Amino acid sequence: EWVSATERPGGSLLTRQLQELWRRSRGSLAPQRLLFEVTSASVVSERSSKYVLYTIYLIRSGQFDKAPATIARRYSDFEQLNRRLRCRFSCDMANVAFPRKRLRRNFTAETIAKRSRAFEQFLSHLHSIDEIRRSPEFLEFFFLPDLQAAQRLTCTGLYREALATWANAYRLQDRLGVCNSGRFLLTLAGLAVCHQELDQLSEAHGCCEQALQLLEAQGSHPLLGPFLQAHVHLAWKVGKDKRQSEARLQDLREAGLPLQQQPSLKECLIKEPLE
């Protein structure tokens, strides 16, 4: 079960949950069935525009999450996803139904309820198609907005709010089975930076350890040096063993990597283009 970063008195629970999710993701060879449930829909008025915002939970079949992975999207977001996927996967999308735009009565309870069910079926159908489920268009529909928001919050120093957003991005990527991607490593970097800024050093150390295990077989990833340096610093702070990371750093030095010129994790996070 998950609790949000703002609900817990200490950070160790979040770290244990991150580690457990990561371990489960490594051991899972087949994608688990995901349920997409619209849990609420609210009418939003902004200046001269008005739209319905749908909140959707991503739930593993047969499991209960106290704080599940969530997204909030409007009709135009779904419409853009539908359009992009039809351009790239025209054959696969031929039998995928999408609710049509209405000229009126868009904000009635009946229309909102019908669209809610239609969006659930739309996402479930997409997720059932292998090529689409693995496509950047489908995946980034879910977690890219959270990554962008978390990056902005981190850059402006709102670390507690950023931490909750990075954590939701983590949950989304875990549910979607993409815990070995560059986006996921960036998410771990965001979690580590925010935990460190909030003086939750054990949690930051745990995030670095997860990242380094993912990077174990890589010798030239741009985040390897920053994660190693952060891990050594945090291990010294919390009294953990840092010898393996120090040895890997020495290997990088001997390979000619100018570690003194390497950016910090926070600098990597701020400079990473998320488009």
Side-chain angles (χ1 to χ4, degrees):
E1 295 180 356
W2 274 83
V3 293
S4 72
T6 56
E7 290 175 342
R8 55 188 170 71
S12 59
L13 180 59
L14 178 59
T15 297
R16 289 200 302 272
Q17 290 165 336
L18 288 175
Q19 292 170 337
E20 178 59 27
L21 281 173
W22 180 77
R23 280 194 293 268
R24 288 207 307 268
S25 72
R26 289 190 81 191
S28 177
L29 297 178
Q32 293 180 297
R33 185 178 172 225
L34 271 185
L35 303 177
F36 302 91
E37 181 180 348
V38 176
T39 59
S40 67
S42 55
V43 178
V44 178
S45 296
E46 286 184 350
R47 299 176 183 174
S48 58
S49 67
K50 186 178 180 181
Y51 59 88
V52 179
L53 192 65
Y54 299 86
T55 299
I56 302 160
Y57 281 18
L58 278 68
I59 305 168
R60 287 195 182 96
S61 179
Q63 296 188 19
F64 172 75
D65 295 310
K66 184 177 180 181
T70 66
I71 60 172
R73 300 289 184 270
R74 52 193 290 183
Y75 181 91
S76 60
D77 297 322
F78 286 99
E79 189 176 41
Q80 182 184 46
L81 173 65
N82 179 57
R83 186 168 58 251
R84 293 179 69 192
L85 290 175
R86 288 186 190 280
C87 286
R88 185 175 173 194
F89 304 102
S90 56
C91 293
D92 288 323
M93 292 292 292
N95 296 319
V96 178
F98 186 78
R100 293 181 179 178
K101 182 171 281 188
R102 299 171 63 104
L103 297 177
R104 56 192 181 89
R105 297 178 61 81
N106 284 296
F107 304 105
T108 65
E110 180 184 6
T111 298
I112 292 172
K114 285 182 178 179
R115 279 191 174 169
S116 295
R117 302 292 80 78
F119 286 144
E120 291 175 348
Q121 293 167 6
F122 174 67
L123 293 176
S124 294
H125 197 163
L126 295 179
H127 189 260
S128 71
I129 303 171
D130 288 345
E131 289 299 314
I132 291 177
R133 181 175 62 241
R134 294 192 292 264
S135 70
E137 292 87 351
F138 180 73
L139 293 169
E140 292 187 351
F141 168 81
F142 291 95
F143 58 77
L144 185 58
D146 266 35
L147 294 181
Q148 292 169 331
Q151 185 185 53
R152 287 193 299 270
L153 289 166
T154 305
C155 289
T156 54
L158 298 172
Y159 299 113
R160 194 166 298 281
E161 294 86 345
L163 181 61
T165 310
W166 287 117
N168 190 60
Y170 186 109
R171 293 193 291 271
L172 288 167
Q173 291 171 87
D174 170 70
R175 301 298 187 274
L176 294 163
V178 286
C179 290
N180 58 353
S181 68
R183 300 292 202 200
F184 185 70
L185 285 169
L186 192 71
T187 304
L188 285 173
L191 288 166
V193 166
C194 290
H195 277 308
Q196 186 169 1
E197 293 289 346
L198 294 169
D199 204 30
Q200 298 165 357
L201 303 185
S202 293
E203 292 81 349
H205 175 264
C207 292
C208 289
E209 284 204 325
Q210 292 177 61
L212 290 175
Q213 288 181 63
L214 286 172
L215 289 166
E216 190 170 3
Q218 301 193 42
S220 59
H221 193 282
L223 286 174
L224 178 57
F227 266 121
L228 284 169
Q229 291 178 319
H231 185 258
V232 168
H233 174 74
L234 290 163
W236 177 76
K237 287 276 190 179
V238 299
K240 300 288 186 179
D241 188 359
K242 60 186 189 306
R243 288 173 295 180
Q244 185 174 356
S245 290
E246 288 175 328
R248 291 181 73 183
L249 279 172
Q250 183 60 34
D251 290 341
L252 292 179
R253 289 190 190 95
E254 292 174 358
L257 185 68
L259 292 176
Q260 297 299 326
Q261 301 172 21
Q262 287 278 292
S264 67
L265 271 185
K266 189 174 182 179
E267 289 169 337
C268 291
L269 205 62
I270 292 171
K271 294 177 181 177
E272 177 69 18
L274 289 172
E275 299 175 354

